[in-house]
Amino acid sequence: MVRGGRDILSSVVASQDDVHRKYGGVVPELASREHLRRIVPVVREALERARLDFGGIEAIGVTRGPGLIGSLLVGYTYGQTLAAALGKPLVPVNHLEGHVHAVFLEAQQGRESAGGGAAGGAGAAAGRALPELPAVCLIVSGGHTVLYEVRAANGHVAAPAPAEYPAFRCTYARIGATRDDAAGEAYDKVAKLLALGYPGGPVMDQLAAHGNPEAVSFTPPHTRGNPFDFSFSGIKTAVLRHVQQHPAFKGGIAVRQEALRGGARRAADLLSMCTRATLDLVASFQRAVVSDLVHRTIAAAEERAARCVLVSGGVAANSELRGTFAREASARALPVFFPSRALSTDNAAMIAAAAYPRLLAGEIASNGIGAEANLPLA
Ligand code: KG4
Ligand code: ZN
């Protein structure tokens, strides 16, 4: 539940990690079944935590796409039905626009209320700086790795006043995207290969701190035709080849597989079961992925003369990614903004925040519009 596009009254996330863990990746059929099972209690809990009842809802933001069609249909149909029952507007939102708004939402937390913010350009007000536009946004998760140029709609000039932020309507131009695996998907596949559990990112993030990131070198991905496209399947395959060429990895993989079956989850549990070679491989993989993400994003920001960089999506929780962006961007006087870790991974607050400017602009769903698996961001 989000008030006025900026105050998070409650944020409830129903993780499906336990359901998909034994498969090492999301199983679409199980995902939609889980959505169906959890959607009603999750909405009820969000209302309870916000101390509201259904009558307190002004409008309903709902993800229209992109994503897995079964899960989208469950959410969309529920939102549509609730809106009809309450007689409230339904605002369809692009999932990726939600990730962009997660950054705006985060930047507004802890500031004065919308009407009371200091006057002047973004970043000039007391409290945290606000992102100025145009921005380049990297959305990096298990399903996406994509770069967008984010501009103000309606010819709005670069820096909206702080009070304008929640109502801020943006337009998006795609600069580049992964040609194969998303970065989070590569993390999850490498974690499966090395028996480090699911999802792979958070555990590998912690294990990487114990290894030498320069121990194994990977050929940087080439994306001929568009330097702002990504490709991670080559790095993933190189990890596989490295493991196959060094039979010593086998023993550790078997030990960890057994531990995972016994319920081991945390990096601290797996650390003692990892050899130096394994930790070095994890650290080197992470270095290769992170430096590719950071360098292409900063190059895109420079090419588009962006005023800042926004980074969002599950992989934006990665500590090396955050550290490297902060270092590289500050060396170029380019501000970089992340959501909190909780707002980086998929959540409903970012969808509500993205819905708010569209609600104000009257972009309400007409009856025929439904979920779309491949919805482009426009
Ligand atoms: O955005 P998200 O919650 O869901 C979608 O994929 O849409 O992102 C989940 C992805 C998973 O692939 C997970 O391994 C990755 O984000 N992830 C991380 C970290 N935390 C989550 N990857 C690297 N480092 C992390 N700390
Ligand atoms: Zn997402």
Side-chain angles (χ1 to χ4, degrees):
M1 306 283 303
V2 174
R3 184 168 50 208
R6 55 158 282 165
D7 298 322
I8 304 173
L9 303 181
S10 63
S11 178
V12 181
V13 174
S15 165
Q16 296 193 6
D17 288 349
D18 289 341
V19 175
H20 302 291
R21 179 166 285 123
K22 70 173 169 208
Y23 306 98
V26 174
V27 182
E29 189 54 38
L30 297 181
S32 47
R33 214 181 297 166
E34 236 2 64
H35 269 69
L36 199 54
R37 216 167 63 77
R38 306 290 293 277
I39 196 158
V40 171
V42 161
V43 171
R44 200 169 292 145
E45 191 180 336
L47 284 167
E48 275 167 18
R49 287 202 203 167
R51 296 179 197 288
L52 287 176
D53 55 26
F54 282 113
I57 296 175
E58 190 192 332
I60 296 159
V62 67
T63 304
R64 188 175 165 209
L68 296 171
I69 191 65
S71 302
L72 289 171
L73 281 170
V74 171
Y76 200 90
T77 310
Y78 177 81
Q80 214 170 19
T81 311
L82 192 59
L86 299 175
K88 300 291 178 185
L90 181 74
V91 185
V93 170
N94 187 297
H95 179 72
L96 299 173
E97 184 169 31
H99 279 300
V100 175
H101 275 265
V103 188
F104 294 151
L105 191 56
E106 177 70 29
Q108 292 172 87
Q109 300 310 300
R111 294 181 64 91
E112 299 285 300
S113 73
R128 288 191 230 189
L130 287 169
E132 294 188 14
L133 300 177
V136 160
C137 184
L138 169 69
I139 300 170
V140 59
S141 70
H144 304 277
T145 301
V146 57
L147 278 170
Y148 281 100
E149 183 179 25
V150 183
R151 291 194 160 272
N154 309 329
H156 205 309
V157 237
E164 290 179 277
Y165 260 85
F168 206 58
R169 177 78 171 78
C170 299
T171 57
Y172 308 90
R174 202 164 99 145
I175 302 172
T178 184
R179 294 185 177 179
D180 38 60
D181 291 348
E185 187 181 359
Y187 264 99
D188 295 339
K189 287 177 176 171
V190 166
K192 189 173 180 180
L193 169 76
L194 293 174
L196 296 172
Y198 174 84
V203 167
M204 288 174 68
D205 186 1
Q206 292 177 56
L207 293 179
H210 299 271
N212 171 8
E214 278 154 23
V216 185
S217 62
F218 296 101
T219 317
H222 287 291
T223 52
R224 244 175 280 284
N226 182 358
F228 306 123
D229 276 349
F230 298 93
S231 168
F232 295 108
S233 75
I235 299 176
K236 174 198 67 188
T237 310
V239 172
L240 172 65
R241 234 177 287 121
H242 187 84
V243 169
Q244 287 168 339
Q245 283 163 2
H246 299 81
F249 282 104
K250 256 191 174 169
I253 290 175
V255 169
R256 290 191 299 276
Q257 272 167 345
E258 194 52 41
L260 292 173
R261 272 195 291 273
R265 297 275 172 274
R266 300 175 314 135
D269 299 333
L270 295 166
L271 180 59
S272 62
M273 298 170 216
C274 293
T275 59
R276 174 128 310 281
T278 303
L279 296 171
D280 287 351
L281 183 58
V282 170
S284 303
F285 164 81
Q286 175 156 293
R287 174 63 53 87
V289 172
V290 163
S291 86
D292 191 69
L293 289 169
V294 171
H295 289 117
R296 285 183 209 264
T297 303
I298 289 182
E302 287 179 336
E303 199 222 39
R304 300 284 168 131
R307 291 182 164 222
C308 67
V309 167
L310 319 174
V311 188
S312 194
V315 183
N318 186 273
S319 26
E320 187 171 340
L321 185 76
R322 285 175 179 248
T324 310
F325 258 122
R327 218 175 36 246
E328 298 283 322
S330 87
R332 294 165 174 83
L334 185 65
V336 55
F337 294 86
F338 288 89
S340 64
R341 283 186 166 77
L343 287 176
S344 294
T345 47
D346 286 352
N347 66 88
M350 70 186 194
I351 302 301
Y356 189 69
R358 291 186 181 266
L359 173 70
L360 296 185
E363 297 176 40
I364 309 301
S366 61
N367 271 340
I369 300 175
E372 262 189 57
N374 298 310
L375 184 68
L377 175 59

